[in-house]
Amino acid sequence: MCAQLLSTHPYKGTRDFYPADMKLRNWFFGKIRAALELASFEEYNGPMLESLEMYIAKSGEEIANEQTYNFSDKAGRRLAVRPEMTPTVARLVAAKINELNFPLKWFSIPNLYRYEAPQRGRLREHWQVNVDIFGCDTYEADLEVISTAITLLRAFDADSSMFKVHINNRRFFNDVIASIAGTDAEGSRRVSKVIDRKNKVPREVYEKDLVALGLDGEKIAKIDALYQMGVEEAAALCPESRGAQELLDLFEALRELSLDEYCVFDFGIIRGLDYYTGTVFEVLDEAPENNRAMFGGGRYDNLVGLFVKNTNVSGVGFGFGDVTLENFLVTHNLIPDIYSEGVKVLVTKFDDVPYTEYTKLVTKLREANIQSSIYIGSKKFGKQIDYAVKGNYSHMVIMGSSEFNEGKLKIKDLRSREETTVDAEKLTDYFA
Ligand code: HAM
């Protein structure tokens, strides 16, 4: 009887990264890392496993209760596989609060797990670029973070017709809802949860939920009107609000820097995570098929305070996932031919030349910093050509017994199909 074969599929909502997939991922994260380092952000990392209570305390119900993979270890500690990085970075900052050089500009590219229904733009495992600034509580850090988000997309030659940064402010949101609906802090929080789901449920459900929180038709209409307003008009509804002022300062600076073409005020941006307190934003792809947010972020004033008493180190930052980025780059045709760029040489082999002579050639190439390999299989020459073409090699170095005896080599350029004979001594000069 045959034993049941094991599945070759990865776990639902996770991906295998074959070398071609890794090449793409390394290409885009390489560009992102370079742009962040240029702007003096420093890279950090942390463990995959964290205590579950960190997420229960601050991430909010959806992430902590519904989306977190959690379990007890053998000693009974309640652990979670990290669904996001922000509580981890707040813990790192809190643990060395007296030693660190504030304001901090930090980034990380962790893989995260969330138990979600896999769909376009959302999987169970994704890699997320996290960019955060700690220790600056004025709009300048919000500006730095938002302009960094724009810079990262511009590094791929994206323009303002392809994406927009949608910006709101939690303080402003709470103040304007309180003034329209007369809610207290808890009431405004409940209204925010309903508004956050506005586009995910039918209109009747949205209205019914607001009515259940004590809002009548007139109040709902006032909230509807906010969606159509520009930032000045909206801010004028609550001129005393610190959040309104923060929005005005931020948009003024964005205008000054000509970044306003990338940004819109959007009252619908609430963000599902509970820890945000000020500016909140999401970057949305303008292509309708990519309808899930690409970046999400904002300011959180009191996360570090979860770990250290009487501290007040505020943070602001964003997370930016690889799944939505890849959809964005493919949809807008922003991925160049990364597979066949640069020089990559295959040294082919024949049985009547000692193998070590080929090893010497490849060693020379590598010493000259030329990406190269010997053909290590046992197929005939014709198949070695197929291997080189399929493997995106740019050149083949060919040394049969007659070339070997004469101290010569043939070099075949696989892109132009030209073949050149050179002295074996001059091999690396050819590629100079
Ligand atoms: P978030 O909105 O939950 O925020 O996620 C940020 C981004 O990560 C999303 O816009 C999306 O690109 C990506 N993302 C999230 N979940 C998934 C998923 N299931 N599959 C694929 N991509 C996903 C946060 O996580 C905050 N901690 C970000 C932050 C950093 N705020 C301040 N600093």
Side-chain angles (χ1 to χ4, degrees), residues 362-395:
V362 92
T363 305
K364 260 197 204 162
L365 287 165
R366 289 176 192 165
E367 278 171 2
N369 224 2
I370 297 164
Q371 190 185 357
S372 46
S373 178
I374 310 187
Y375 175 74
I376 45 175
S378 55
K379 300 247 165 73
K380 295 275 175 252
F381 185 65
K383 296 283 183 203
Q384 296 187 34
I385 300 180
D386 296 346
Y387 178 83
V389 170
K390 209 169 170 191
N392 291 311
Y393 284 87
S394 61
H395 295 79

PDB file of all heavy atoms in Angstrom, residues 362-395:
ATOM      1  N   VAL A 362      37.363  30.095 -13.340  1.00  0.00           N
ATOM      2  CA  VAL A 362      36.286  30.710 -12.554  1.00  0.00           C
ATOM      3  C   VAL A 362      36.867  31.447 -11.343  1.00  0.00           C
ATOM      4  O   VAL A 362      36.364  32.495 -10.930  1.00  0.00           O
ATOM      5  CB  VAL A 362      35.206  29.649 -12.212  1.00  0.00           C
ATOM      6  CG1 VAL A 362      35.457  28.975 -10.900  1.00  0.00           C
ATOM      7  CG2 VAL A 362      33.836  30.255 -12.256  1.00  0.00           C
ATOM      8  N   THR A 363      37.957  30.928 -10.820  1.00  0.00           N
ATOM      9  CA  THR A 363      38.603  31.621  -9.695  1.00  0.00           C
ATOM     10  C   THR A 363      39.101  32.992 -10.150  1.00  0.00           C
ATOM     11  O   THR A 363      38.904  34.001  -9.466  1.00  0.00           O
ATOM     12  CB  THR A 363      39.784  30.778  -9.143  1.00  0.00           C
ATOM     13  OG1 THR A 363      39.278  29.504  -8.818  1.00  0.00           O
ATOM     14  CG2 THR A 363      40.436  31.419  -7.944  1.00  0.00           C
ATOM     15  N   LYS A 364      39.715  33.011 -11.345  1.00  0.00           N
ATOM     16  CA  LYS A 364      40.205  34.291 -11.896  1.00  0.00           C
ATOM     17  C   LYS A 364      39.061  35.286 -12.058  1.00  0.00           C
ATOM     18  O   LYS A 364      39.169  36.463 -11.723  1.00  0.00           O
ATOM     19  CB  LYS A 364      40.806  34.049 -13.291  1.00  0.00           C
ATOM     20  CG  LYS A 364      42.281  33.959 -13.328  1.00  0.00           C
ATOM     21  CD  LYS A 364      42.722  34.137 -14.776  1.00  0.00           C
ATOM     22  CE  LYS A 364      44.075  33.500 -14.977  1.00  0.00           C
ATOM     23  NZ  LYS A 364      44.370  33.267 -16.378  1.00  0.00           N
ATOM     24  N   LEU A 365      37.945  34.782 -12.601  1.00  0.00           N
ATOM     25  CA  LEU A 365      36.790  35.670 -12.819  1.00  0.00           C
ATOM     26  C   LEU A 365      36.291  36.239 -11.490  1.00  0.00           C
ATOM     27  O   LEU A 365      36.037  37.436 -11.359  1.00  0.00           O
ATOM     28  CB  LEU A 365      35.653  34.906 -13.513  1.00  0.00           C
ATOM     29  CG  LEU A 365      35.869  34.597 -14.998  1.00  0.00           C
ATOM     30  CD1 LEU A 365      34.884  33.547 -15.486  1.00  0.00           C
ATOM     31  CD2 LEU A 365      35.722  35.877 -15.843  1.00  0.00           C
ATOM     32  N   ARG A 366      36.201  35.374 -10.511  1.00  0.00           N
ATOM     33  CA  ARG A 366      35.671  35.843  -9.220  1.00  0.00           C
ATOM     34  C   ARG A 366      36.646  36.805  -8.555  1.00  0.00           C
ATOM     35  O   ARG A 366      36.226  37.771  -7.917  1.00  0.00           O
ATOM     36  CB  ARG A 366      35.370  34.660  -8.308  1.00  0.00           C
ATOM     37  CG  ARG A 366      34.159  33.889  -8.822  1.00  0.00           C
ATOM     38  CD  ARG A 366      33.868  32.661  -8.012  1.00  0.00           C
ATOM     39  NE  ARG A 366      32.903  31.813  -8.696  1.00  0.00           N
ATOM     40  CZ  ARG A 366      32.658  30.549  -8.376  1.00  0.00           C
ATOM     41  NH1 ARG A 366      33.292  29.981  -7.376  1.00  0.00           N
ATOM     42  NH2 ARG A 366      31.763  29.855  -9.050  1.00  0.00           N
ATOM     43  N   GLU A 367      37.956  36.558  -8.730  1.00  0.00           N
ATOM     44  CA  GLU A 367      38.928  37.502  -8.158  1.00  0.00           C
ATOM     45  C   GLU A 367      38.783  38.875  -8.797  1.00  0.00           C
ATOM     46  O   GLU A 367      39.075  39.886  -8.175  1.00  0.00           O
ATOM     47  CB  GLU A 367      40.350  36.972  -8.361  1.00  0.00           C
ATOM     48  CG  GLU A 367      40.708  35.943  -7.296  1.00  0.00           C
ATOM     49  CD  GLU A 367      42.023  35.215  -7.575  1.00  0.00           C
ATOM     50  OE1 GLU A 367      42.698  35.522  -8.588  1.00  0.00           O
ATOM     51  OE2 GLU A 367      42.340  34.322  -6.776  1.00  0.00           O
ATOM     52  N   ALA A 368      38.322  38.875 -10.057  1.00  0.00           N
ATOM     53  CA  ALA A 368      38.105  40.167 -10.729  1.00  0.00           C
ATOM     54  C   ALA A 368      36.676  40.676 -10.488  1.00  0.00           C
ATOM     55  O   ALA A 368      36.199  41.591 -11.162  1.00  0.00           O
ATOM     56  CB  ALA A 368      38.345  40.016 -12.230  1.00  0.00           C
ATOM     57  N   ASN A 369      35.990  40.034  -9.519  1.00  0.00           N
ATOM     58  CA  ASN A 369      34.652  40.477  -9.124  1.00  0.00           C
ATOM     59  C   ASN A 369      33.599  40.276 -10.216  1.00  0.00           C
ATOM     60  O   ASN A 369      32.662  41.060 -10.323  1.00  0.00           O
ATOM     61  CB  ASN A 369      34.716  41.958  -8.734  1.00  0.00           C
ATOM     62  CG  ASN A 369      33.939  42.189  -7.473  1.00  0.00           C
ATOM     63  OD1 ASN A 369      33.401  41.243  -6.884  1.00  0.00           O
ATOM     64  ND2 ASN A 369      33.847  43.440  -7.056  1.00  0.00           N
ATOM     65  N   ILE A 370      33.786  39.242 -11.007  1.00  0.00           N
ATOM     66  CA  ILE A 370      32.829  38.954 -12.081  1.00  0.00           C
ATOM     67  C   ILE A 370      32.001  37.739 -11.670  1.00  0.00           C
ATOM     68  O   ILE A 370      32.557  36.671 -11.365  1.00  0.00           O
ATOM     69  CB  ILE A 370      33.578  38.677 -13.412  1.00  0.00           C
ATOM     70  CG1 ILE A 370      34.346  39.946 -13.824  1.00  0.00           C
ATOM     71  CG2 ILE A 370      32.616  38.228 -14.509  1.00  0.00           C
ATOM     72  CD1 ILE A 370      35.403  39.706 -14.872  1.00  0.00           C
ATOM     73  N   GLN A 371      30.685  37.933 -11.635  1.00  0.00           N
ATOM     74  CA  GLN A 371      29.797  36.849 -11.203  1.00  0.00           C
ATOM     75  C   GLN A 371      29.928  35.672 -12.179  1.00  0.00           C
ATOM     76  O   GLN A 371      29.783  35.862 -13.393  1.00  0.00           O
ATOM     77  CB  GLN A 371      28.357  37.350 -11.182  1.00  0.00           C
ATOM     78  CG  GLN A 371      27.414  36.378 -10.513  1.00  0.00           C
ATOM     79  CD  GLN A 371      25.962  36.832 -10.598  1.00  0.00           C
ATOM     80  OE1 GLN A 371      25.657  37.895 -11.109  1.00  0.00           O
ATOM     81  NE2 GLN A 371      25.076  36.003 -10.113  1.00  0.00           N
ATOM     82  N   SER A 372      30.224  34.481 -11.655  1.00  0.00           N
ATOM     83  CA  SER A 372      30.524  33.385 -12.571  1.00  0.00           C
ATOM     84  C   SER A 372      30.352  32.029 -11.902  1.00  0.00           C
ATOM     85  O   SER A 372      30.339  31.918 -10.672  1.00  0.00           O
ATOM     86  CB  SER A 372      31.970  33.513 -13.059  1.00  0.00           C
ATOM     87  OG  SER A 372      32.816  33.771 -11.968  1.00  0.00           O
ATOM     88  N   SER A 373      30.208  31.012 -12.750  1.00  0.00           N
ATOM     89  CA  SER A 373      30.085  29.646 -12.248  1.00  0.00           C
ATOM     90  C   SER A 373      30.636  28.680 -13.296  1.00  0.00           C
ATOM     91  O   SER A 373      30.595  28.984 -14.489  1.00  0.00           O
ATOM     92  CB  SER A 373      28.613  29.323 -12.001  1.00  0.00           C
ATOM     93  OG  SER A 373      28.473  27.997 -11.561  1.00  0.00           O
ATOM     94  N   ILE A 374      31.113  27.510 -12.850  1.00  0.00           N
ATOM     95  CA  ILE A 374      31.423  26.446 -13.797  1.00  0.00           C
ATOM     96  C   ILE A 374      30.135  25.668 -13.991  1.00  0.00           C
ATOM     97  O   ILE A 374      29.344  25.520 -13.053  1.00  0.00           O
ATOM     98  CB  ILE A 374      32.424  25.419 -13.227  1.00  0.00           C
ATOM     99  CG1 ILE A 374      33.629  26.106 -12.634  1.00  0.00           C
ATOM    100  CG2 ILE A 374      32.798  24.382 -14.272  1.00  0.00           C
ATOM    101  CD1 ILE A 374      34.708  25.112 -12.207  1.00  0.00           C
ATOM    102  N   TYR A 375      29.948  25.102 -15.161  1.00  0.00           N
ATOM    103  CA  TYR A 375      28.822  24.187 -15.348  1.00  0.00           C
ATOM    104  C   TYR A 375      29.167  22.907 -14.585  1.00  0.00           C
ATOM    105  O   TYR A 375      30.144  22.233 -14.911  1.00  0.00           O
ATOM    106  CB  TYR A 375      28.615  23.904 -16.847  1.00  0.00           C
ATOM    107  CG  TYR A 375      27.549  22.865 -17.052  1.00  0.00           C
ATOM    108  CD1 TYR A 375      26.205  23.191 -16.857  1.00  0.00           C
ATOM    109  CD2 TYR A 375      27.870  21.557 -17.374  1.00  0.00           C
ATOM    110  CE1 TYR A 375      25.219  22.243 -16.986  1.00  0.00           C
ATOM    111  CE2 TYR A 375      26.882  20.591 -17.503  1.00  0.00           C
ATOM    112  CZ  TYR A 375      25.559  20.945 -17.303  1.00  0.00           C
ATOM    113  OH  TYR A 375      24.581  20.006 -17.422  1.00  0.00           O
ATOM    114  N   ILE A 376      28.383  22.582 -13.567  1.00  0.00           N
ATOM    115  CA  ILE A 376      28.772  21.436 -12.733  1.00  0.00           C
ATOM    116  C   ILE A 376      27.953  20.181 -13.029  1.00  0.00           C
ATOM    117  O   ILE A 376      28.059  19.190 -12.318  1.00  0.00           O
ATOM    118  CB  ILE A 376      28.697  21.761 -11.216  1.00  0.00           C
ATOM    119  CG1 ILE A 376      27.410  22.500 -10.913  1.00  0.00           C
ATOM    120  CG2 ILE A 376      29.897  22.538 -10.737  1.00  0.00           C
ATOM    121  CD1 ILE A 376      27.171  22.763  -9.462  1.00  0.00           C
ATOM    122  N   GLY A 377      27.175  20.208 -14.096  1.00  0.00           N
ATOM    123  CA  GLY A 377      26.417  19.002 -14.454  1.00  0.00           C
ATOM    124  C   GLY A 377      27.230  18.101 -15.363  1.00  0.00           C
ATOM    125  O   GLY A 377      28.439  18.274 -15.521  1.00  0.00           O
ATOM    126  N   SER A 378      26.523  17.139 -15.982  1.00  0.00           N
ATOM    127  CA  SER A 378      27.269  16.196 -16.822  1.00  0.00           C
ATOM    128  C   SER A 378      26.706  16.146 -18.243  1.00  0.00           C
ATOM    129  O   SER A 378      26.873  15.172 -18.944  1.00  0.00           O
ATOM    130  CB  SER A 378      27.225  14.814 -16.172  1.00  0.00           C
ATOM    131  OG  SER A 378      25.869  14.481 -15.961  1.00  0.00           O
ATOM    132  N   LYS A 379      25.988  17.217 -18.648  1.00  0.00           N
ATOM    133  CA  LYS A 379      25.365  17.196 -19.974  1.00  0.00           C
ATOM    134  C   LYS A 379      26.341  17.658 -21.055  1.00  0.00           C
ATOM    135  O   LYS A 379      27.333  18.318 -20.779  1.00  0.00           O
ATOM    136  CB  LYS A 379      24.133  18.097 -19.969  1.00  0.00           C
ATOM    137  CG  LYS A 379      23.071  17.682 -18.963  1.00  0.00           C
ATOM    138  CD  LYS A 379      21.828  17.217 -19.675  1.00  0.00           C
ATOM    139  CE  LYS A 379      20.867  16.453 -18.795  1.00  0.00           C
ATOM    140  NZ  LYS A 379      20.159  17.280 -17.841  1.00  0.00           N
ATOM    141  N   LYS A 380      25.984  17.309 -22.297  1.00  0.00           N
ATOM    142  CA  LYS A 380      26.792  17.690 -23.456  1.00  0.00           C
ATOM    143  C   LYS A 380      26.723  19.209 -23.683  1.00  0.00           C
ATOM    144  O   LYS A 380      25.854  19.887 -23.135  1.00  0.00           O
ATOM    145  CB  LYS A 380      26.251  16.986 -24.705  1.00  0.00           C
ATOM    146  CG  LYS A 380      26.389  15.485 -24.647  1.00  0.00           C
ATOM    147  CD  LYS A 380      27.789  15.074 -25.129  1.00  0.00           C
ATOM    148  CE  LYS A 380      28.012  13.589 -24.973  1.00  0.00           C
ATOM    149  NZ  LYS A 380      28.932  13.221 -23.903  1.00  0.00           N
ATOM    150  N   PHE A 381      27.601  19.684 -24.577  1.00  0.00           N
ATOM    151  CA  PHE A 381      27.751  21.126 -24.771  1.00  0.00           C
ATOM    152  C   PHE A 381      26.424  21.830 -25.120  1.00  0.00           C
ATOM    153  O   PHE A 381      26.103  22.881 -24.574  1.00  0.00           O
ATOM    154  CB  PHE A 381      28.805  21.387 -25.861  1.00  0.00           C
ATOM    155  CG  PHE A 381      29.093  22.851 -26.029  1.00  0.00           C
ATOM    156  CD1 PHE A 381      29.676  23.578 -24.993  1.00  0.00           C
ATOM    157  CD2 PHE A 381      28.767  23.510 -27.202  1.00  0.00           C
ATOM    158  CE1 PHE A 381      29.936  24.942 -25.130  1.00  0.00           C
ATOM    159  CE2 PHE A 381      29.019  24.870 -27.340  1.00  0.00           C
ATOM    160  CZ  PHE A 381      29.604  25.578 -26.302  1.00  0.00           C
ATOM    161  N   GLY A 382      25.649  21.225 -26.033  1.00  0.00           N
ATOM    162  CA  GLY A 382      24.379  21.850 -26.443  1.00  0.00           C
ATOM    163  C   GLY A 382      23.475  22.103 -25.245  1.00  0.00           C
ATOM    164  O   GLY A 382      22.839  23.156 -25.127  1.00  0.00           O
ATOM    165  N   LYS A 383      23.416  21.170 -24.333  1.00  0.00           N
ATOM    166  CA  LYS A 383      22.563  21.304 -23.136  1.00  0.00           C
ATOM    167  C   LYS A 383      23.147  22.357 -22.190  1.00  0.00           C
ATOM    168  O   LYS A 383      22.416  23.000 -21.427  1.00  0.00           O
ATOM    169  CB  LYS A 383      22.459  19.972 -22.398  1.00  0.00           C
ATOM    170  CG  LYS A 383      21.774  18.898 -23.196  1.00  0.00           C
ATOM    171  CD  LYS A 383      20.266  19.115 -23.189  1.00  0.00           C
ATOM    172  CE  LYS A 383      19.577  17.995 -23.942  1.00  0.00           C
ATOM    173  NZ  LYS A 383      18.270  18.348 -24.450  1.00  0.00           N
ATOM    174  N   GLN A 384      24.470  22.502 -22.231  1.00  0.00           N
ATOM    175  CA  GLN A 384      25.095  23.529 -21.381  1.00  0.00           C
ATOM    176  C   GLN A 384      24.672  24.927 -21.858  1.00  0.00           C
ATOM    177  O   GLN A 384      24.477  25.836 -21.062  1.00  0.00           O
ATOM    178  CB  GLN A 384      26.624  23.394 -21.405  1.00  0.00           C
ATOM    179  CG  GLN A 384      27.097  22.071 -20.803  1.00  0.00           C
ATOM    180  CD  GLN A 384      28.605  21.987 -20.675  1.00  0.00           C
ATOM    181  OE1 GLN A 384      29.291  22.968 -20.433  1.00  0.00           O
ATOM    182  NE2 GLN A 384      29.145  20.779 -20.834  1.00  0.00           N
ATOM    183  N   ILE A 385      24.507  25.052 -23.189  1.00  0.00           N
ATOM    184  CA  ILE A 385      24.023  26.350 -23.712  1.00  0.00           C
ATOM    185  C   ILE A 385      22.604  26.596 -23.198  1.00  0.00           C
ATOM    186  O   ILE A 385      22.283  27.680 -22.698  1.00  0.00           O
ATOM    187  CB  ILE A 385      24.039  26.377 -25.261  1.00  0.00           C
ATOM    188  CG1 ILE A 385      25.454  26.147 -25.785  1.00  0.00           C
ATOM    189  CG2 ILE A 385      23.469  27.710 -25.781  1.00  0.00           C
ATOM    190  CD1 ILE A 385      25.575  26.150 -27.299  1.00  0.00           C
ATOM    191  N   ASP A 386      21.756  25.583 -23.283  1.00  0.00           N
ATOM    192  CA  ASP A 386      20.370  25.741 -22.787  1.00  0.00           C
ATOM    193  C   ASP A 386      20.374  26.158 -21.319  1.00  0.00           C
ATOM    194  O   ASP A 386      19.608  27.018 -20.888  1.00  0.00           O
ATOM    195  CB  ASP A 386      19.604  24.414 -22.887  1.00  0.00           C
ATOM    196  CG  ASP A 386      19.444  23.975 -24.334  1.00  0.00           C
ATOM    197  OD1 ASP A 386      19.679  24.802 -25.237  1.00  0.00           O
ATOM    198  OD2 ASP A 386      19.105  22.785 -24.547  1.00  0.00           O
ATOM    199  N   TYR A 387      21.247  25.526 -20.556  1.00  0.00           N
ATOM    200  CA  TYR A 387      21.340  25.818 -19.119  1.00  0.00           C
ATOM    201  C   TYR A 387      21.718  27.295 -18.904  1.00  0.00           C
ATOM    202  O   TYR A 387      21.146  27.986 -18.063  1.00  0.00           O
ATOM    203  CB  TYR A 387      22.392  24.888 -18.506  1.00  0.00           C
ATOM    204  CG  TYR A 387      22.641  25.093 -17.034  1.00  0.00           C
ATOM    205  CD1 TYR A 387      21.817  24.514 -16.086  1.00  0.00           C
ATOM    206  CD2 TYR A 387      23.719  25.870 -16.594  1.00  0.00           C
ATOM    207  CE1 TYR A 387      22.045  24.687 -14.724  1.00  0.00           C
ATOM    208  CE2 TYR A 387      23.953  26.055 -15.236  1.00  0.00           C
ATOM    209  CZ  TYR A 387      23.123  25.464 -14.306  1.00  0.00           C
ATOM    210  OH  TYR A 387      23.347  25.648 -12.966  1.00  0.00           O
ATOM    211  N   ALA A 388      22.692  27.765 -19.722  1.00  0.00           N
ATOM    212  CA  ALA A 388      23.159  29.157 -19.578  1.00  0.00           C
ATOM    213  C   ALA A 388      22.029  30.134 -19.916  1.00  0.00           C
ATOM    214  O   ALA A 388      21.806  31.121 -19.206  1.00  0.00           O
ATOM    215  CB  ALA A 388      24.360  29.407 -20.491  1.00  0.00           C
ATOM    216  N   VAL A 389      21.282  29.824 -20.975  1.00  0.00           N
ATOM    217  CA  VAL A 389      20.214  30.742 -21.397  1.00  0.00           C
ATOM    218  C   VAL A 389      19.117  30.769 -20.329  1.00  0.00           C
ATOM    219  O   VAL A 389      18.669  31.827 -19.889  1.00  0.00           O
ATOM    220  CB  VAL A 389      19.658  30.320 -22.781  1.00  0.00           C
ATOM    221  CG1 VAL A 389      18.405  31.104 -23.131  1.00  0.00           C
ATOM    222  CG2 VAL A 389      20.736  30.499 -23.859  1.00  0.00           C
ATOM    223  N   LYS A 390      18.718  29.597 -19.893  1.00  0.00           N
ATOM    224  CA  LYS A 390      17.635  29.507 -18.897  1.00  0.00           C
ATOM    225  C   LYS A 390      18.053  30.130 -17.567  1.00  0.00           C
ATOM    226  O   LYS A 390      17.234  30.678 -16.833  1.00  0.00           O
ATOM    227  CB  LYS A 390      17.275  28.037 -18.695  1.00  0.00           C
ATOM    228  CG  LYS A 390      15.842  27.844 -18.296  1.00  0.00           C
ATOM    229  CD  LYS A 390      15.437  26.394 -18.358  1.00  0.00           C
ATOM    230  CE  LYS A 390      14.070  26.239 -17.708  1.00  0.00           C
ATOM    231  NZ  LYS A 390      13.700  24.862 -17.501  1.00  0.00           N
ATOM    232  N   GLY A 391      19.349  30.064 -17.282  1.00  0.00           N
ATOM    233  CA  GLY A 391      19.853  30.608 -16.013  1.00  0.00           C
ATOM    234  C   GLY A 391      20.225  32.077 -16.096  1.00  0.00           C
ATOM    235  O   GLY A 391      20.859  32.601 -15.180  1.00  0.00           O
ATOM    236  N   ASN A 392      19.821  32.764 -17.183  1.00  0.00           N
ATOM    237  CA  ASN A 392      20.102  34.202 -17.352  1.00  0.00           C
ATOM    238  C   ASN A 392      21.586  34.540 -17.296  1.00  0.00           C
ATOM    239  O   ASN A 392      21.967  35.604 -16.782  1.00  0.00           O
ATOM    240  CB  ASN A 392      19.347  35.037 -16.314  1.00  0.00           C
ATOM    241  CG  ASN A 392      17.867  35.026 -16.561  1.00  0.00           C
ATOM    242  OD1 ASN A 392      17.427  35.265 -17.698  1.00  0.00           O
ATOM    243  ND2 ASN A 392      17.098  34.718 -15.540  1.00  0.00           N
ATOM    244  N   TYR A 393      22.436  33.625 -17.785  1.00  0.00           N
ATOM    245  CA  TYR A 393      23.856  33.980 -17.911  1.00  0.00           C
ATOM    246  C   TYR A 393      24.002  34.927 -19.101  1.00  0.00           C
ATOM    247  O   TYR A 393      23.284  34.794 -20.097  1.00  0.00           O
ATOM    248  CB  TYR A 393      24.710  32.721 -18.128  1.00  0.00           C
ATOM    249  CG  TYR A 393      24.881  31.939 -16.844  1.00  0.00           C
ATOM    250  CD1 TYR A 393      23.937  30.989 -16.454  1.00  0.00           C
ATOM    251  CD2 TYR A 393      25.966  32.174 -16.010  1.00  0.00           C
ATOM    252  CE1 TYR A 393      24.064  30.301 -15.262  1.00  0.00           C
ATOM    253  CE2 TYR A 393      26.113  31.484 -14.817  1.00  0.00           C
ATOM    254  CZ  TYR A 393      25.158  30.549 -14.448  1.00  0.00           C
ATOM    255  OH  TYR A 393      25.304  29.869 -13.266  1.00  0.00           O
ATOM    256  N   SER A 394      24.927  35.877 -18.991  1.00  0.00           N
ATOM    257  CA  SER A 394      25.119  36.823 -20.096  1.00  0.00           C
ATOM    258  C   SER A 394      26.193  36.306 -21.066  1.00  0.00           C
ATOM    259  O   SER A 394      26.182  36.662 -22.231  1.00  0.00           O
ATOM    260  CB  SER A 394      25.548  38.194 -19.559  1.00  0.00           C
ATOM    261  OG  SER A 394      26.776  38.097 -18.869  1.00  0.00           O
ATOM    262  N   HIS A 395      27.146  35.520 -20.545  1.00  0.00           N
ATOM    263  CA  HIS A 395      28.262  35.057 -21.375  1.00  0.00           C
ATOM    264  C   HIS A 395      28.593  33.596 -21.064  1.00  0.00           C
ATOM    265  O   HIS A 395      28.366  33.142 -19.934  1.00  0.00           O
ATOM    266  CB  HIS A 395      29.536  35.871 -21.100  1.00  0.00           C
ATOM    267  CG  HIS A 395      29.427  37.313 -21.489  1.00  0.00           C
ATOM    268  ND1 HIS A 395      28.786  38.245 -20.707  1.00  0.00           N
ATOM    269  CD2 HIS A 395      29.878  37.976 -22.587  1.00  0.00           C
ATOM    270  CE1 HIS A 395      28.844  39.432 -21.299  1.00  0.00           C
ATOM    271  NE2 HIS A 395      29.498  39.297 -22.442  1.00  0.00           N
TER     272      HIS A 395
END
